[in-house]
Amino acid sequence: MADGASNPDQIMEDKTRFDLNTAVEHWLETLRRSPEIRAENLAELESHLRDSVAEWQRRGLGEEEAFVLAGHRLGGSMALRQEFAKINQSRVWLHRGLWMLVGIQAWALLGTLSHLGAAAVTVGGLASLGFKFREPNLYLSALGPASGLTLTYLAFLAACVTGAWWLVRRKETGLRNAADAVLHRPLWVGGFVLIPLGLLVLNFAQFPFLAFWFPRAEIGGIMASKSIASFAESVLLTVSLPLLTVFLARRYVASCRPRRANP
Amino acid sequence: MGVQNVQTPGRAGGAVVKPEMGLDKPNGIMHNATMLSRELVAASTVPLVLSILGEGETYGYALIQRVRELSGGRIEWTEGMLYPVLHWMEEAGQIKSEWRESDTGRKRKYYHLCREGREALQGEREQWLTVHQTLTRLWKTKHVSI
């Protein structure tokens, strides 16, 4: 993350006239997002910053110079976060734990959604094209639709994960506001619990749904395709997720090491 | 992380992880010979805070100003690092804080010393005076000039 608070010049660059309150608000915004610093800590830092700015102004500095100097003396946001992390460890872990829980649930939800989407698109699509899911020579004839199912599932999953990633990265404030709104309305919290449950039931209800639309002889073929596809997906994910973890972990560890002057 | 356990008289065993002032300082302010080293800055923060609060209640910014003034600018803190230390001292029961409106109309957090803090201050005094006495005796006999 960019070390915004230690770099107050950046804040000023796109402003024609310096406004102290805006500058302080920008400075606070960077730290407000960090789990290491509580609102009360931030209020105290703001009080300090304003005292310091006033003191430097009293000593003859302009408002902007006083703000830059006061911010510099207070310390960069990375250093502040590191120090405050030592006293707010429970909050840091709460923040991490929340993200882990959100991740686990989002993964399960996106998985169910992708399965439903892939089944609807592939089975429905093939059936509408006149494809017959044959009963004899079960596994061999199921291989075609199974590979179709696997590919559509992966495409759905990739689209869902990319969408979720985009939401988290680009619409962070919007998401935060939405979460804030949901958390304080019991009905919405109910919805938050019921939506995954509903999807799960819908996923399970595929069987009676299939029985209604397809002749008995084809259901066996469809189920065989789905079971092969689900095996293929599991294998792919079981291999690729640990590989992805190792790749990201290596990048992270490398970024922790101090850079050497002579490589 | 630059976390260290430092034994403080107010807290038996020193098992609490204490934030260390200035140890993560990114710039080289401390390397001037007339300035205090990082380690000394870190070690002297708690006794300084206790001693200043012993004079009466005050708030973070004024506390830093007082240290700068008393040390002739040779004890230089990265100002924001004081607050985790104050928080730690409050958790340890040495000091207490209170948000109040100041004469400027803005709110400030004022700190004052508790009984446990007074005891801690006494302990710190004894320890620092012991170091001071020992060094003074050594330097007197050996005629070291600074």
Side-chain angles (χ1 to χ4, degrees):
Chain A
M1 201 175 279
D3 198 357
S6 71
N7 199 0
D9 336 329
Q10 248 177 5
I11 298 166
M12 256 77 69
E13 250 169 19
D14 47 350
K15 299 268 182 299
T16 42
R17 251 189 85 235
F18 178 79
D19 176 58
L20 182 64
N21 285 328
T22 318
V24 170
E25 198 41 53
H26 270 283
W27 185 87
L28 289 172
E29 197 46 47
T30 321
L31 292 174
R32 202 167 281 146
R33 290 197 211 113
S34 21
E36 297 88 352
I37 300 176
R38 289 170 195 269
E40 207 229 351
N41 306 141
L42 204 56
E44 198 173 16
L45 287 176
E46 183 191 354
S47 157
H48 180 111
L49 186 72
R50 288 186 183 274
D51 274 334
S52 186
V53 170
E55 173 64 20
W56 287 113
Q57 277 185 288
R58 206 181 55 77
R59 293 202 203 171
L61 285 191
E63 203 174 47
E64 191 169 345
E65 288 83 5
F67 171 74
V68 173
L69 188 58
H72 176 74
R73 298 195 80 113
L74 196 51
S77 66
M78 285 313 276
L80 286 174
R81 287 174 57 182
Q82 252 178 33
E83 286 304 310
F84 276 99
K86 294 173 192 169
I87 57 165
N88 292 332
Q89 273 173 344
S90 59
R91 190 163 190 265
V92 173
W93 276 104
L94 180 68
H95 185 255
R96 285 179 194 159
L98 266 174
W99 271 107
M100 283 182 215
L101 276 175
V102 167
I104 292 168
Q105 285 169 87
W107 179 251
L109 195 69
L110 297 184
T112 316
L113 263 177
S114 307
H115 270 130
L116 275 171
V121 166
T122 312
V123 176
L126 284 174
S128 69
L129 287 174
F131 184 85
K132 291 276 174 260
F133 297 88
R134 286 176 218 287
E135 186 83 69
N137 200 1
L138 205 60
Y139 272 89
L140 209 60
S141 62
L143 274 179
S147 50
L149 265 173
T150 310
L151 286 177
T152 39
Y153 167 75
L154 288 177
F156 266 92
L157 195 63
C160 285
V161 170
T162 313
W165 176 255
W166 179 81
L167 262 178
V168 170
R169 294 284 295 190
R170 302 272 160 201
K171 304 281 170 196
E172 208 190 325
T173 321
L175 273 182
R176 194 191 307 276
N177 293 341
D180 210 28
V182 168
L183 289 175
H184 294 100
R185 289 180 177 82
L187 260 170
W188 290 30
V189 173
F192 178 73
V193 178
L194 285 178
I195 288 170
L197 194 67
L199 276 175
L200 207 64
V201 170
L202 204 63
N203 202 20
F204 175 74
Q206 279 179 84
F207 195 72
F209 181 79
L210 287 174
F212 182 77
W213 282 100
F214 290 91
R216 252 232 159 98
E218 282 195 56
I219 290 176
I222 293 173
M223 291 329 268
S225 309
K226 283 176 70 93
S227 112
I228 295 171
S230 115
F231 174 69
E233 290 153 24
S234 304
V235 169
L236 281 171
L237 290 179
T238 310
V239 173
S240 58
L241 283 182
L243 280 177
L244 181 68
T245 310
V246 169
F247 172 71
L248 292 179
R250 282 176 65 111
R251 273 187 56 168
Y252 177 73
V253 170
S255 73
C256 292
R257 256 183 247 127
R259 279 198 202 131
R260 280 183 216 154
N262 304 313
Chain B
M1 268 201 273
V3 182
Q4 281 180 8
N5 286 340
V6 171
Q7 242 173 309
T8 323
R11 195 90 176 182
V16 176
V17 177
K18 193 180 86 172
E20 291 291 340
M21 281 274 299
L23 277 182
D24 297 331
K25 219 170 168 48
N27 48 31
I29 296 177
M30 298 302 171
H31 297 304
N32 191 325
T34 58
M35 300 275 231
L36 237 59
S37 73
R38 289 168 182 217
E39 289 74 13
L40 261 182
V41 167
S44 61
T45 305
V46 168
L48 280 171
V49 170
L50 287 172
S51 308
I52 290 168
L53 291 181
E55 299 175 342
E57 72 157 18
T58 188
Y59 54 98
Y61 182 71
L63 214 152
I64 289 167
Q65 294 293 88
R66 183 102 176 94
V67 169
R68 183 174 299 137
E69 177 196 320
L70 284 170
S71 71
R74 280 184 292 178
I75 300 181
E76 195 62 66
W77 289 347
T78 302
E79 298 175 357
M81 309 307 173
L82 173 68
Y83 295 100
V85 178
L86 286 171
H87 186 279
W88 176 86
M89 290 171 72
E90 190 169 9
E91 290 271 289
Q94 298 178 352
I95 60 176
K96 258 208 146 83
S97 70
E98 185 188 1
W99 280 98
R100 267 210 318 273
E101 205 159 291
S102 68
D103 41 355
T104 60
R106 277 191 290 106
K107 284 203 161 186
R108 277 200 192 119
K109 201 176 180 187
Y110 288 88
Y111 293 88
H112 63 263
L113 213 55
C114 299
R115 194 180 51 81
E116 239 180 278
R118 256 175 254 286
E119 287 165 14
L121 176 58
Q122 197 50 44
E124 291 278 358
R125 252 181 82 93
E126 280 161 24
Q127 290 184 29
W128 281 84
L129 285 175
T130 307
V131 175
H132 177 77
Q133 266 172 15
T134 314
L135 287 175
T136 316
R137 277 181 197 146
L138 273 168
W139 290 336
K140 261 182 193 155
T141 51
K142 286 181 185 168
H143 299 290
V144 171
S145 59
I146 302 168

